[in-house]
Amino acid sequence: MDIRIGNGYDVHALAEGLPMWLGGVRIPSETGFVAHSDGDVAIHALCDALLGCLALGDIGHLFPDTSDEWKGVDSKLLLEKVVALIHGRGFAVGNVDITIALQKPKLAPHIAAMRSVLAPILGVSEDRVSVKATTTERLGFVGRCEGCEVWATALIVVE
Ligand code: MG
């Protein structure tokens, strides 16, 4: 059995008056992410984890933030493209695990929605999509509400 594993990491700064997209879901919040795309830092980390499985580089390389093509882009579209790349190499997603560090707002009410949005894009059932959230107990840049930090792990298997 050929299985591959990858990890991804991303950070975006928070600013007032911007939309907050996380895990493909619009989160009600007074602050949102500063970004060239829609700033969905969770999907960005997930894309990098999937790309890492096959040593395909990172999303900054695939979808450069200097390109107008990706300005304001819905990150779900980037994830679809990354999943298509994985399938193109003969692999399917096994499972993914995402950890989001954000001080506020509380993400617990939105976790189920994120899993239900991400699962069909990944082509797996929701029980293969783990999304976890934590604060950093007011420590560091996350704790000061300056940004959000996300780690993702992905496992893929030969189709
Ligand atoms: Mg990013």
Side-chain angles (χ1 to χ4, degrees), residues 37-109:
S37 66
D38 67 4
D40 194 324
V41 56
I43 288 187
H44 296 175
L46 178 57
C47 285
D48 271 358
L50 289 164
L51 292 169
C53 291
L54 292 173
L56 294 173
D58 57 62
I59 59 165
H61 176 74
L62 253 65
F63 313 112
D65 64 9
T66 48
S67 163
D68 278 350
E69 190 179 356
W70 310 117
K71 194 166 166 46
V73 70
D74 180 344
S75 293
K76 292 189 282 294
L77 187 72
L78 306 183
L79 181 60
E80 280 172 17
K81 288 180 178 294
V82 167
V83 171
L85 269 179
I86 300 288
H87 284 292
R89 302 288 174 117
F91 284 82
V93 176
N95 72 296
V96 302
D97 186 19
I98 301 166
T99 301
I100 305 169
L102 184 70
Q103 191 62 42
K104 67 175 187 184
K106 293 287 183 205
L107 295 178

Side-chain angles (χ1 to χ4, degrees), residues 14-33 38-43 74 76 98 100-118 131-133 148 150:
L14 284 162
E16 287 192 11
L18 293 174
M20 179 181 284
W21 285 94
L22 265 178
V25 173
R26 177 75 189 266
I27 309 291
S29 171
E30 288 167 9
T31 58
F33 299 119
D38 67 4
D40 194 324
V41 56
I43 288 187
D74 180 344
K76 292 189 282 294
I98 301 166
I100 305 169
L102 184 70
Q103 191 62 42
K104 67 175 187 184
K106 293 287 183 205
L107 295 178
H110 308 291
I111 298 289
M114 291 183 203
R115 294 175 67 206
S116 69
V117 166
L118 295 175
V131 180
K132 313 190 298 293
C148 176
V150 180

